[in-house]
Amino acid sequence: MLKIKLSRTGKRNQPYYRVVVAEKRSKLTGQYIDLLGNYDPNDPKNKLTIDKKRYADWITKGAKPTDTVRQLVAKQK
């Protein structure tokens, strides 16, 4: 099953996340199928940059977003 989830990158105490499509059971920082965007929680505006067209395409293909990703995308709209 495919999930749209956050993959953590960045330095210690300075998290930076990628929004990726990956297998549900894959490691948090493991391989991913597609990179949809990124999220910076340290930005004062909590900057989420995501390709909405590809996000919608993956949703129609059956990928399910995690709760966190769903909330971030809903907040962005």
Side-chain angles (χ1 to χ4, degrees), residues 4-66:
I4 301 173
K5 58 186 182 177
L6 296 176
S7 175
R8 190 181 194 279
T9 59
K11 296 186 272 186
R12 182 176 43 170
N13 297 325
Q14 293 181 348
Y16 189 79
Y17 297 94
R18 293 178 179 161
V19 181
V20 298
V21 178
E23 284 290 327
K24 181 178 180 181
R25 295 177 181 242
S26 68
K27 291 181 181 178
L28 192 59
T29 58
Q31 292 182 342
Y32 55 87
I33 298 169
D34 195 11
L35 176 65
L36 301 179
N38 53 45
Y39 170 63
D40 187 6
N42 294 323
D43 190 6
K45 300 172 188 168
N46 284 341
K47 185 75 172 174
L48 174 69
T49 307
I50 192 165
D51 186 350
K52 293 180 183 179
K53 183 179 178 185
R54 288 195 353 223
Y55 177 80
D57 288 343
W58 280 107
I59 295 291
T60 58
K61 290 179 185 177
K64 299 197 185 280
T66 59

